[in-house]
Each structure stands twice: as C-alpha cells, then as structure tokens.
C-alpha cells in the first residue's frame, strides 16, 4: 500500500514529468514548423501552456531542449532495431521508416533539421553525423550477414548498399511530405530491398521483428 507521504512526493514529481514531456512535444512541433534558428523558447513555452520562466526550470537553453527532443525520438526509434541480425535488421530499419509516417511532424522535423544541421556550427550537427554513421555501420553489418548467408544479389560492397538505402529513405520521406497520397515509402523501400535481397519479405508482417535498440 502506498503511504500518504509517498503519494504526496510522487504527485509533484509526476506533474513535473508531465510538464517536461509537454515542453518536449511543443519543442518538436515548433522546430518542425520553423527550424531551430527561427524558433524561440518563448514560442515553445506558449505552445506548452507555461511561462518562459517555467520552461527554464526544465531546460536552460534552446540547444539543450533540441538535444533532448532528438535523443528521445532516437531512443524511441531504436527500440525497433536492437538485437536483430541479417534480413531482420534490414526489415527493422524499414519498419521504423514506415512507422514514422504515423508521426508526420517527426518526419518534417528531421527533414528540416538534417538540411540545416549540415553547418558544423549547428547544435544538431554532431547528433545527425553520429546518427548517420551509426545507421550506416548497422546496415553495412546487416548486408555483410546477408551476404555471408548467400542471400545477397549484388556485387556492391555493403557500405555502398547501406548508403544507398539511407539516401533512398531520406529522399522518400521528403517526397512523402510533398505528396503523401502518391508516395508509398514502405512499398518503394521494400522493392529496393528485394532487388538486392530476393528473400526479403514482400509484406511488413512476413517476418517477426524484435522490438529492441541500435544503441
């Protein structure tokens, strides 16, 4: 049984955690719509329904807020792809990309920030550089495993196949933002995968995915 003192302690903590999450969601929406530089902490505070001072209790700077927004979203996506190998690793990354279409604000956020963050001074530059490096290595390892199993139908090295898949995934997400009705991300990515891995599943539920993480 929870004591009265424990309940009293948990109440303010739960409220604080709820406010923090509200700020993160407001930040994601603001960054997705206007980009990092054009977004102010005052705007995020207004969206979250709190004062600028109240926001400052949770995040000391806009850079800190952006970092936490990106890290949180990366952790959520990473839950799909830990502890997989070979074809299952490739299918897991494809599943994350398809799943993100259910969160259009997230795709818009990453598409905008990835363009802005090519500048070395951008606060998200290192985040995206490390993310690309990690995904490229993860995919290259998966292609190596598929090759070793005799299931790869390509003479290209695994690094090239990984970079091609990442470029295709990013490009499709941008096309999807322009015209969702005519851009089927899952279908196109799956067609590419089947062109190099003929045994890759034709449907999303053809192979079970392990819902765990890249890092």
């Amino acid at each position: 049984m929870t004591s009265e003192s424990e309940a009293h302690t948990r109440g303010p903590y739960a409220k604080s955690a709820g406010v923090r999450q509200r700020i993160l969601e407001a930040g994601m929406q603001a960054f997705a719509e206007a980009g990092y530089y054009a977004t102010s902490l005052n705007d995020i505070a207004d969206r979250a329904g709190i004062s600028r001072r109240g926001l400052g209790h949770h995040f000391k700077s806009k850079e800190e807020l952006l970092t936490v927004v990106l890290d949180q979203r990366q952790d959520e996506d990473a839950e799909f792809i830990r502890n997989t190998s070979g074809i299952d690793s490739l299918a897991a990354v494809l599943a994350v990309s398809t799943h993100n279409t259910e969160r259009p604000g997230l795709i818009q956020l990453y598409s905008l920030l990835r363009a802005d963050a090519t500048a070395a001074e951008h606060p998200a530059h290192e985040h995206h550089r490390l993310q690309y490096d990690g995904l490229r290595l993860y995919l290259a390892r998966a292609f190596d495993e598929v090759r070793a199993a005799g299931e790869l139908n390509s003479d290209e090295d695994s690094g090239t196949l990984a970079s091609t898949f990442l470029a295709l995934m990013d490009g499709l997400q941008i096309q999807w933002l322009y015209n969702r009705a005519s851009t089927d991300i899952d279908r196109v990515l799956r067609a590419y995968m089947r062109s190099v891995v003929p045994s890759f599943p034709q449907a999303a539920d053809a192979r079970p995915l392990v819902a765990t993480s890249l890092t």
Side-chain angles (χ1 to χ4, degrees):
M1 180 179 294
T2 303
S3 69
E4 184 177 345
S5 61
E6 288 174 331
H8 178 74
T9 301
R10 186 179 302 141
Y13 176 81
K15 182 178 180 180
S16 178
V19 171
R20 179 182 173 86
Q21 185 57 39
R22 205 162 73 235
I23 294 170
L24 289 173
E25 291 172 359
M28 188 195 79
Q29 293 169 359
F31 291 137
E33 291 175 11
Y36 176 77
Y37 291 115
T39 296
S40 70
L41 288 177
N42 286 334
D43 178 38
I44 294 172
D46 287 343
R47 287 171 181 261
I50 62 173
S51 67
R52 170 65 181 83
R53 182 177 180 181
L55 186 151
H57 289 311
H58 295 272
F59 300 98
K60 302 304 181 186
S61 67
K62 187 169 66 169
E63 180 176 347
E64 179 189 1
L65 175 56
L66 175 64
T67 299
V68 176
V69 166
L70 294 176
D71 287 346
Q72 182 183 70
R73 297 306 173 184
Q74 181 170 288
D75 288 345
E76 290 176 2
D77 286 347
E79 285 301 313
F80 283 92
I81 56 180
R82 182 185 299 179
N83 299 334
T84 58
S85 62
I87 290 178
D88 285 340
S89 292
L90 301 176
V93 174
L94 189 151
V96 169
S97 183
T98 301
H99 174 66
N100 283 343
T101 60
E102 299 174 10
R103 301 178 291 177
L106 184 60
I107 292 182
Q108 187 171 337
L109 169 66
Y110 271 88
S111 296
L112 186 59
L113 284 179
R114 280 174 177 158
D116 288 347
T118 55
E121 65 274 13
H122 194 286
H125 179 84
E126 191 67 3
H127 172 93
H128 287 300
R129 186 187 69 79
L130 292 174
Q131 184 180 55
Y132 273 122
D133 287 349
L135 273 173
R136 193 179 301 107
L137 288 172
Y138 178 86
L139 288 166
R141 185 200 70 191
F143 280 119
D144 281 341
E145 292 167 346
V146 172
R147 191 190 308 273
E151 297 184 273
L152 188 67
N153 182 33
S154 175
D155 294 328
E156 297 291 345
D157 65 89
S158 296
T160 297
L161 294 174
S163 293
T164 301
F165 180 76
L166 285 176
L168 182 60
M169 185 167 64
D170 280 355
L172 282 168
Q173 289 182 341
I174 292 173
Q175 292 181 55
W176 183 83
L177 288 172
Y178 279 108
N179 192 333
R180 301 178 191 182
S182 65
T183 307
D184 189 333
I185 293 176
D186 183 84
R187 182 175 180 274
V188 177
L189 290 178
R190 205 169 289 277
Y192 166 72
M193 281 298 188
R194 287 183 59 78
S195 73
V196 294
V197 184
S199 58
F200 193 83
Q202 295 186 40
D205 58 355
R207 290 175 80 101
L209 290 180
V210 179
T212 49
S213 169
L214 175 61
T215 56

